[in-house]
Amino acid sequence: MKFHLFNKNNKMKDLKLAACSLTVLFFANAQFAFSQSSRFSFNKYIEKGDTLNYRLLFPDADTFRKYPLVVFLHGSGERGNDNEAQLKWGVMNFATDQNMMLHPALVVAPQCPEKMNWSNFSRTDMKLQATATKPMELLIGLIHQLIKTMPVDTNRIYITGLSMGGYGTYDAIERYPNLFAAAVPVCGAGDTSRAASIAHIPIWIFHGAEDPAVNPVYSLQMFEALTKAGAHPGFTEYPAVGHFSWLGAYSDALMIEWLFRQHK
């Protein structure tokens, strides 16, 4: 009996130690995430009375050099006006110590207002509509302002986004095919009839094979349309992965290396 009691106490101690370790790990990760988010300045872009909140990561390097500009578009769950939620997924991978050392860049993360969208596609046939959404108009205005006021290498402007931001990535490159040097749409969809107009843009598509929110067939159709148009897009479909394919996409070191190699 004493042996069992002793063993039970040891198990209780182990459980307490494990709980303490998890608590320390949680606070360490929270502190790390906070330190990363604090690297992004708080900003507002105002055009004709309309406002687009955005966060900006600036490289700790020579301001006389030109730097790539990475445009990151969040998903529908991060819409709002707190200018914080858009940093929840994906974009922090560009703000790690390692990536800031290897790939110094300007990274802009705008926040789409509630009940609005980055893209304007017909939901019946995925055709790009003639008029851009207000957030997309503001985003393009913001990019041009950054080009004028920041040391942006205009031959290395990249755009990426997840879910609603994946749709937005396609919308942006299909409306402004001469602005971007590369694109990484993650679990998104676009107008395949516009594939020829963006065939010159290096594109790497990501999706989860079991995505219940955005049908992966959209990514496959865009890949096929781009290939038929003479492009050589990358295509990664994660097996046994649902909507959170961005977890793999933005932690993929090969994708990051590929992205920063692209030039117009």
Side-chain angles (χ1 to χ4, degrees):
M1 179 66 73
K2 288 182 180 179
F3 172 78
H4 291 296
L5 182 60
F6 178 76
N7 191 41
K8 182 179 179 181
N9 289 339
N10 279 349
K11 287 183 178 178
M12 289 299 294
K13 289 179 180 178
D14 290 342
L15 287 171
K16 289 180 179 178
L17 286 172
C20 289
S21 298
L22 288 173
T23 301
V24 170
L25 182 62
F26 171 79
F27 282 110
N29 287 339
Q31 181 62 35
F32 179 65
F34 176 78
S35 65
Q36 280 185 286
S37 66
S38 65
R39 295 176 177 179
F40 287 80
S41 62
F42 286 84
N43 305 276
K44 292 180 182 292
Y45 173 70
I46 301 174
E47 180 182 288
K48 298 178 181 178
D50 294 307
T51 300
L52 183 68
N53 290 328
Y54 70 97
R55 303 289 292 273
L56 182 67
L57 176 72
F58 195 87
D60 179 25
D62 188 348
T63 56
F64 293 100
R65 290 173 54 192
K66 297 287 187 178
Y67 295 96
L69 172 64
V70 178
V71 181
F72 180 87
L73 303 182
H74 63 77
S76 60
E78 291 71 61
R79 289 178 289 193
N81 59 8
D82 63 354
N83 211 4
E84 183 71 35
Q86 73 266 37
L87 302 184
K88 181 178 180 180
W89 301 110
V91 71
M92 288 300 184
N93 292 66
F94 294 97
T96 64
D97 293 346
Q98 181 180 16
N99 272 330
M100 290 187 71
M101 286 289 291
L102 292 176
H103 307 292
L106 292 151
V107 181
V108 61
Q111 185 177 35
C112 185
E114 286 283 0
K115 300 179 180 180
M116 301 185 79
N117 290 286
W118 296 122
S119 64
N120 187 13
F121 293 108
S122 166
R123 295 299 174 172
T124 57
D125 57 7
M126 284 304 301
K127 297 300 182 185
L128 186 71
Q129 301 301 287
T131 304
T133 65
K134 179 54 66 175
M136 179 56 67
E137 288 181 352
L138 290 170
L139 171 63
I140 299 304
L142 169 60
I143 292 172
H144 286 296
Q145 182 189 71
L146 293 174
I147 290 172
K148 292 178 181 178
T149 60
M150 296 286 178
V152 174
D153 182 349
T154 55
N155 290 316
R156 299 178 69 196
I157 299 177
Y158 313 130
I159 186 164
T160 182
L162 59 94
S163 193
M164 183 183 80
Y167 282 80
T169 299
Y170 282 118
D171 185 291
I173 62 176
E174 290 179 348
R175 289 186 193 280
Y176 310 97
N178 297 317
L179 181 59
F180 301 100
V184 181
V186 181
C187 56
D191 183 349
T192 56
S193 70
R194 301 273 184 137
S197 69
I198 58 173
H200 64 286
I201 303 175
I203 300 172
W204 192 337
I205 301 165
F206 287 83
H207 219 121
E210 299 178 6
D211 191 329
V214 181
N215 195 325
V217 75
Y218 287 135
S219 286
L220 182 59
Q221 288 172 344
M222 184 59 76
F223 170 75
E224 292 174 343
L226 286 166
T227 302
K228 288 178 180 178
H232 300 90
F235 181 78
T236 299
E237 185 176 82
Y238 297 111
V241 171
H243 194 46
F244 282 20
S245 54
W246 56 79
L247 297 179
Y250 293 114
S251 60
D252 188 331
L254 290 177
M255 185 278 283
I256 298 294
E257 290 291 333
W258 171 87
L259 182 66
F260 284 100
R261 287 201 308 268
Q262 307 310 312
H263 293 74
K264 287 173 64 177

